[in-house]
């Protein structure tokens, strides 16, 4: 609790960011980014209803370099949030709380998310 | 709302440097957070170069050496020097731990020492623990019974029942866990924090306690319990190797199971 007369001790920038703290931050950030992605997805669907001209503009935007970059980011966020979400479900039933175990299942989720993102984009661009 | 930056009166300035004696053999630098409430100045980081050849093995040994030989104004709490009183909890090398149980040789490079994070600083490494203790008191950390005790014996537990409370009972209330938690930094006014939740878990699983329902009612709140987002800093910080994150998850499970 803060007492305004006394200084507040350093926190965020004086603390060492361990793996679990970083994972937690990425989980939350990926959730926020995904909510923007959902709005963009809805915009793409709405543009279909709005007619051919609107749809071609929106489709062009999604196909541009920036659009592809955003889609790539969203797919990674989707897979990371999914994998780490499964980790959270494990925690909710009381599993995976050991110090080593929590580090391992975090890394496992991250690696699977990277593989799934890479696999999807290979499928999209090549397949 | 979360305040990520430190308020103006809390920003840490550069401090003095105390160099090691010329004949020192094995010098280590300690950077220590200093705040003098009488000066009205901002906190500062003082640097002390210590000859490890002439110093005990633990971080606390170096701090006591500084206080008795170099700078008697350095202020910190300490008592047992064997990890059971919890007084010397502070943030060392970026992690909350006890200065008495961390060896200097286990820290690489310069040793940075801050008070427990996001606390109101009374002086140097001494934070104001009033709120932390009030949170502990708020969970009613004592046995509550409705049923009369057996007429001819104490309230006995089986070995298995005793084992449930053995580990959480080992908490020494040093506050390393609670003050390592970003959720606690931003919401300590309403979130109970890892330590108080581990303490209430100890009573929830106590076979002799009859207030389980009341205790769970108190916790069923968006902030008191559910500000825990399983960041797990508490478990990694605990100098007694306890697992507050798991205890909190077990409490969440109890609340779900109660509804089924």
């Amino acid at each position: 609790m803060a007492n305004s007369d006394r200084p507040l001790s350093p926190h965020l920038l004086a603390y060492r960011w361990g793996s679990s703290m970083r994972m937690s931050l990425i989980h939350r950030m990926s959730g926020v980014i995904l909510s923007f992605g959902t709005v963009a997805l809805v915009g793409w669907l709405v543009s279909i209803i709005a007619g051919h001209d609107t749809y071609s503009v929106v489709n062009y935007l999604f196909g541009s370099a920036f659009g592809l970059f955003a889609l790539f980011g969203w797919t990674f966020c989707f897979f990371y949030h999914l994998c780490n979400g499964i980790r959270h479900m494990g925690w909710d039933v009381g599993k995976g709380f050991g110090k080593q175990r929590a580090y391992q299942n975090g890394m496992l989720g991250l690696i699977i998310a990277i593989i799934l993102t890479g696999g999807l984009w290979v499928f999209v661009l090549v397949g | 709302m979360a305040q990520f930056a430190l308020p103006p009166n809390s920003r840490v300035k550069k401090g003095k440097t105390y160099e090691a004696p010329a004949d020192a053999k094995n010098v280590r630098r300690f950077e220590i957070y200093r705040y003098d409430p009488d000066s009205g100045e901002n906190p500062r980081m003082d640097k002390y170069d210590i000859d490890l050849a002439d110093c005990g093995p633990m971080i606390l040994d170096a701090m006591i050496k500084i206080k008795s030989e170099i700078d008697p104004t350095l202020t910190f709490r300490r008592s047992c020097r064997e990890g059971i009183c919890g007084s010397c909890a502070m943030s060392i090398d970026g992690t909350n731990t006890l200065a008495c149980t961390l060896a200097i040789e286990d820290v690489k490079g310069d040793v940075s020492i801050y008070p427990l994070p996001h606390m109101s600083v009374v002086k140097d490494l001494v934070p104001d623990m009033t709120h932390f203790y009030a949170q502990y008191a708020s969970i009613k950390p004592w046995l509550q019974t409705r049923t009369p005790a057996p007429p001819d014996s104490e309230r006995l537990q089986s070995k298995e029942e005793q084992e449930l409370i053995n580990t959480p009972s080992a908490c020494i209330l040093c506050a390393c866990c609670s003050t390592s938690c970003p959720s606690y930094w931003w919401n300590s006014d309403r979130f109970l924090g890892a330590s108080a939740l581990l303490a209430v878990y100890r009573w929830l699983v106590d076979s002799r306690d009859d207030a389980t329902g009341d205790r769970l009612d108190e916790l069923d709140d968006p902030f008191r319990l559910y500000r825990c987002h399983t960041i797990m800093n508490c478990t990694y910080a605990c100098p007694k190797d306890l697992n507050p994150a798991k205890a909190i998850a077990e409490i969440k499970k109890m609340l779900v199971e109660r509804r089924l």
Side-chain angles (χ1 to χ4, degrees):
Chain A
M1 267 296 265
N3 174 334
S4 58
D5 297 335
R6 289 176 178 155
L8 190 66
S9 54
H11 40 88
L12 201 58
L13 299 176
Y15 212 81
R16 185 187 299 278
W17 285 61
S19 150
S20 66
M21 191 170 167
R22 266 177 271 172
M23 291 282 175
S24 175
L25 180 79
I26 302 170
H27 187 73
R28 183 166 286 214
M29 275 169 44
S30 63
V32 171
I33 294 169
L34 276 178
S35 62
F36 289 114
T38 310
V39 172
L41 181 68
V42 170
W44 182 69
L45 289 171
V46 167
S47 75
I48 299 173
I49 303 165
H52 179 266
D53 293 348
T54 320
Y55 176 73
S56 53
V57 171
V58 172
N59 224 22
Y60 171 77
L61 288 175
F62 273 112
S64 67
F66 179 77
L68 287 173
F69 174 74
L71 285 169
F72 180 80
W74 284 324
T75 46
F76 173 72
C77 287
F78 173 78
F79 286 124
Y80 180 84
H81 208 80
L82 179 72
C83 295
N84 207 52
I86 293 168
R87 186 168 169 237
H88 268 277
M89 281 171 66
W91 283 336
D92 286 343
V93 296
K95 303 282 181 205
F97 275 103
K99 287 188 203 176
Q100 285 293 321
R101 191 46 60 88
Y103 174 77
Q104 287 163 351
N105 58 36
M107 281 300 154
L108 182 69
L110 179 65
I111 291 165
I112 293 174
I114 290 170
I115 292 171
L116 287 174
T117 312
L120 179 79
W121 280 85
V122 167
F123 179 75
V124 167
L125 297 175
V126 181
Chain B
M1 190 54 205
Q3 280 247 312
F4 296 117
L6 287 170
N9 74 336
S10 308
R11 288 183 196 142
V12 186
K13 304 261 157 68
K14 275 194 171 173
K16 289 174 244 171
T17 302
Y18 299 81
E19 278 166 20
D23 60 343
K25 295 174 194 77
N26 182 9
V27 177
R28 252 329 235 299
R29 172 160 286 189
F30 286 73
E31 296 190 21
I32 304 184
Y33 179 98
R34 305 297 311 272
Y35 167 68
D36 178 6
D38 299 325
S39 74
E41 288 169 13
N42 270 36
R44 62 178 197 273
M45 290 303 278
D46 279 355
K47 299 181 177 73
Y48 303 90
D49 291 342
I50 303 296
D51 183 7
L52 296 188
D54 182 30
C55 180
M58 298 302 186
I59 300 285
L60 184 64
D61 293 322
M63 295 175 69
I64 291 171
K65 182 181 167 70
I66 292 169
K67 189 171 174 70
S68 48
E69 295 174 20
I70 303 169
D71 182 357
T73 65
L74 179 65
T75 307
F76 52 90
R77 294 190 177 110
R78 90 282 179 276
S79 178
C80 76
R81 63 92 185 93
E82 58 180 14
I84 196 58
C85 76
S87 304
C88 64
M90 50 191 77
S91 183
I92 304 167
D93 190 34
T95 303
N96 293 350
T97 192
L98 301 176
C100 65
T101 54
L102 180 64
I104 300 169
E105 65 174 23
D106 288 342
V107 178
K108 304 272 171 285
D110 297 352
V111 183
S112 67
I113 305 179
Y114 289 90
L116 291 173
H118 207 286
M119 298 283 271
S120 189
V121 180
V122 178
K123 187 177 184 184
D124 292 351
L125 300 167
V126 177
D128 182 357
M129 307 288 279
T130 312
H131 182 66
F132 174 82
Y133 294 140
Q135 287 177 313
Y136 179 61
S138 80
I139 62 109
K140 299 184 181 160
W142 54 81
L143 188 70
Q144 297 180 56
T145 55
R146 310 263 191 279
T147 49
D152 51 356
S153 71
E154 296 166 7
R155 293 172 196 272
L156 297 177
Q157 288 192 298
S158 70
K159 191 167 177 291
E160 291 75 25
E161 286 168 343
Q162 167 68 31
E163 276 167 3
L164 285 176
I165 63 170
N166 270 349
T167 311
S169 299
C171 172
I172 56 173
L173 288 176
C174 65
C176 281
C177 58
S178 294
T179 61
S180 74
C181 173
S183 257
Y184 191 76
W185 297 343
W186 319 136
N187 292 298
S188 58
D189 52 344
R190 290 191 281 176
F191 173 44
L192 281 174
S195 174
L197 289 169
L198 179 69
V200 73
Y201 172 76
R202 179 247 174 277
W203 292 103
L204 285 168
V205 295
D206 191 317
S207 61
R208 301 160 299 177
D209 192 88
D210 294 330
T212 311
D214 295 345
R215 294 185 192 279
L216 288 176
D217 286 344
E218 284 291 315
L219 293 172
D220 197 357
D221 172 275
F223 277 86
R224 269 174 237 166
L225 170 69
Y226 289 107
R227 274 307 104 169
C228 168
H229 298 304
T230 328
I231 301 168
M232 286 202 51
N233 276 9
C234 53
T235 298
Y236 287 103
C238 180
K240 304 300 286 184
D241 210 18
L242 310 180
N243 201 326
K246 182 163 170 55
I248 295 169
E250 295 296 337
I251 299 175
K252 290 174 181 167
K253 261 169 69 183
M254 285 172 155
L255 276 161
V256 173
E257 283 163 3
R258 185 166 79 149
R259 291 213 184 103
L260 297 177

